[in-house]
Amino acid sequence: SGSGSGSATNQSSSDSVSIPSSEDAHTTDLPLEVRVAIFVCRCFIYVCSMGQWVGFHVKYSMKDFRNNAVVRLGRCTVPEYLYTWQGWSSLLLTMLLFSMLAMEPILHCLEDNDGYL
């Protein structure tokens, strides 16, 4: 059949796996256990991973500013630790985690779905 799946073999529709698009998938369609597992994993990522990186950057920024280990970049004063690849790449990771948190669907669902996950 010409379903456009790109598969070399023909399969009946009952044998194929369908992955819904993000527009069609609603977490309220999932069982409660799955929704809770998703929530717990996302909380772990944001609290543990992002929290650890925020603590790291606050600690080393404060240390560099106290020791006057800073570099002037135009009008900005940048802590010296950000001039290593580990420093700027971990700051980039932290900013990406913050942007993920800002776009987190669970937060929007809590706001628009009467508090249901």
Side-chain angles (χ1 to χ4, degrees), residues 45-62 81 90-91 93-95 97-98 101:
I45 289 170
Y46 294 124
V47 172
C48 296
S49 182
M50 188 174 69
Q52 179 256 337
W53 283 119
V54 168
F56 171 85
H57 289 290
V58 168
K59 175 183 173 183
Y60 281 96
S61 292
M62 296 291 286
Y81 84 96
S90 66
L91 181 63
L93 173 64
T94 305
M95 292 188 308
L97 284 168
F98 264 117
L101 179 62

Side-chain angles (χ1 to χ4, degrees), residues 31-112:
L32 178 64
E33 295 82 13
V34 174
R35 294 192 321 244
V36 168
I38 291 170
F39 178 75
V40 168
C41 289
R42 288 179 176 173
C43 284
F44 177 80
I45 289 170
Y46 294 124
V47 172
C48 296
S49 182
M50 188 174 69
Q52 179 256 337
W53 283 119
V54 168
F56 171 85
H57 289 290
V58 168
K59 175 183 173 183
Y60 281 96
S61 292
M62 296 291 286
K63 180 180 174 186
D64 280 356
F65 281 116
R66 283 186 187 139
N67 296 330
N68 204 21
V70 293
V71 178
R72 297 282 299 169
L73 186 63
R75 291 184 174 189
C76 298
T77 304
V78 180
E80 214 170 58
Y81 84 96
L82 290 176
Y83 278 85
T84 64
W85 73 269
Q86 295 97 338
W88 64 260
S89 62
S90 66
L91 181 63
L92 178 63
L93 173 64
T94 305
M95 292 188 308
L96 289 173
L97 284 168
F98 264 117
S99 65
M100 286 173 53
L101 179 62
M103 296 182 286
E104 180 58 55
I106 289 178
L107 297 178
H108 297 287
C109 289
L110 288 175
E111 184 177 291
D112 297 335

Side-chain angles (χ1 to χ4, degrees), residues 1-12:
S1 69
S3 65
S5 65
S7 175
T9 62
N10 290 335
Q11 294 181 346
S12 68

